[in-house]
Amino acid sequence: DYTLDPLLEERGRGAALLTPTRICVKRLLRALSCCGESGSPVIRGMAHITGGGLNGNIPRVLPEHLCAVLDAQLWPLPPVFGWLAQEGDLGATDMARTFNCGIGMVVICAADGVDQVKQILAGEGETAYQIGRIESRQGDSAVRIRNMDRAWRKN
């Protein structure tokens, strides 16, 4: 049994914090069989964004010479994360290093397959956002997230 601080419950955040992680593997199976114009599989990698956030999980599926360049303005930050940032006095970099910030699964796919994968996921009841692209790595960082401060600004 879990008990939460009454203030947390009063603000309506308790349920959001205790909601179990959604498992979306079954809904991804159909998308995994997609092939592009060349006949190659469209999906090149997937990362479940758990502890370690976006910055800690995406690099696990990238070769050393590639970097994921994300734009935080391309998906909505769920309210619970804004609340956590404010109450914990966390900056955007700490948020990306700690939480999934509303992105539970990252699917890396060929550019010519993005629309196909998004359509399949929508048909499976999933909301999918194109949140960035893969580029050659410049320096040590395997993940760069642009516009975090603007998109995740504390209110």
Side-chain angles (χ1 to χ4, degrees):
D1 228 11
Y2 293 101
T3 57
L4 295 173
D5 184 301
L7 182 59
L8 188 64
E9 281 297 327
E10 182 181 307
R11 292 182 182 175
R13 307 292 189 231
L17 291 172
L18 293 176
T19 301
T21 300
R22 285 188 23 205
I23 305 301
C24 60
V25 173
K26 287 183 181 179
R27 292 182 294 279
L28 283 165
L29 289 176
R30 196 165 141 237
L32 280 168
S33 65
C34 294
C35 290
E37 294 174 15
S38 67
S40 298
V42 170
I43 293 180
R44 307 289 169 80
M46 296 187 299
H48 186 215
I49 311 304
T50 58
L54 295 163
N55 290 338
N57 288 283
I58 296 172
R60 295 178 188 180
V61 297
L62 291 177
E64 297 256 339
H65 67 284
L66 295 178
C67 174
V69 180
L70 311 180
D71 184 339
Q73 291 183 302
L74 295 177
W75 76 90
L77 182 72
V80 70
F81 293 107
W83 178 82
L84 286 167
Q86 184 174 348
E87 293 296 314
D89 194 27
L90 298 171
T93 302
D94 290 327
M95 293 293 294
R97 192 173 37 223
T98 308
F99 302 112
N100 71 22
C101 298
I103 302 297
M105 176 72 77
V106 170
V107 176
I108 299 169
C109 63
D112 68 348
V114 171
D115 290 336
Q116 183 182 13
V117 169
K118 284 175 66 176
Q119 183 178 11
I120 288 170
L121 292 175
E124 295 290 328
E126 292 295 327
T127 302
Y129 303 97
Q130 186 173 347
I131 63 171
R133 64 185 180 283
I134 303 298
E135 294 182 355
S136 292
R137 191 178 299 190
Q138 307 292 321
D140 293 336
S141 182
V143 178
R144 291 194 327 260
I145 307 175
R146 297 181 174 146
N147 299 312
M148 287 187 297
D149 290 328
R150 191 174 311 149
W152 302 345
R153 157 184 9 200
K154 293 185 235 175
N155 295 327

